[in-house]
Amino acid sequence: MTHRFLEIATTPAVKAAQEAQGSRRSYARQEEGEPHNHLLGEAEAGFIATRDSFYLASVSETGWPYLQHRGGPAGFLRVLDETTLGFADLRGNRQYLSLGNLTADDRLCLFLMDYGRKARLKIFGRAQFHDLAAEPELARRLIVPGYRAVPERGVTIKVEAFDWNCPQHITPRFSEAELAPALAPVRQRLEELEVENARLRAELAARAPA
């Protein structure tokens, strides 16, 4: 079956590099048959729903690539359907580099990381910008209730393809929220020891000669 992500990414120059490095034959086998890796499934939707950040790549009119971080509450990048993602674009430093790039060329690549589980998901897509005041239903689906940030526009992404990367060379890192369950017993024990320490100090003070 045709791996849709590799079909897009594997240009003639990439094929030449694969040939020179000896990996061309294995990838050529994925260029036949019906396309796959272009419709988001349960695994992709579940992974995206737990991410609190991603990296967004675009290309300028002069050909320079640009990579930008996007962050928010877990799940702020919404899976609207099997071919569409969306998020509320929040006010930042107001350089609007990605906005300008994607207005001129709507193609983008998203890079989503789960450092703790050593997993990463890459997504090719095309961006479209929306006036959220003019599209209240879309605004309802994209804006995270209670999150203190100013949404300047809505962004929907028509997914062209995705690919899961192997876990090699990913150093595990954990967020505060991810560490909290593991550290909870340690914190509880520290609190118990502090209480016990205070009790012992009080007893020693009471026994001390006047």
Side-chain angles (χ1 to χ4, degrees), residues 66-116:
Y66 179 66
L67 190 65
Q68 188 167 46
H69 174 266
R70 283 285 190 267
F76 77 100
L77 178 63
R78 313 290 200 186
V79 178
L80 303 181
D81 58 49
E82 64 182 1
T83 63
T84 313
L85 300 171
F87 65 96
D89 197 16
L90 306 176
R91 180 170 296 168
N93 58 17
R94 309 191 74 178
Q95 290 183 334
Y96 301 120
L97 300 180
S98 295
L99 176 62
N101 288 348
L102 293 170
T103 300
D105 184 338
D106 64 357
R107 292 174 296 176
L108 54 73
C109 186
L110 303 184
F111 202 102
L112 287 75
M113 291 291 300
D114 183 337
Y115 289 98

Side-chain angles (χ1 to χ4, degrees), residues 16 34 40 60 88 94-95 111 142 146 167 191 194 199:
E34 295 298 317
L40 300 172
S60 74
R94 309 191 74 178
Q95 290 183 334
F111 202 102
L142 298 186
E191 291 174 0
E194 288 175 354
R199 184 184 65 80

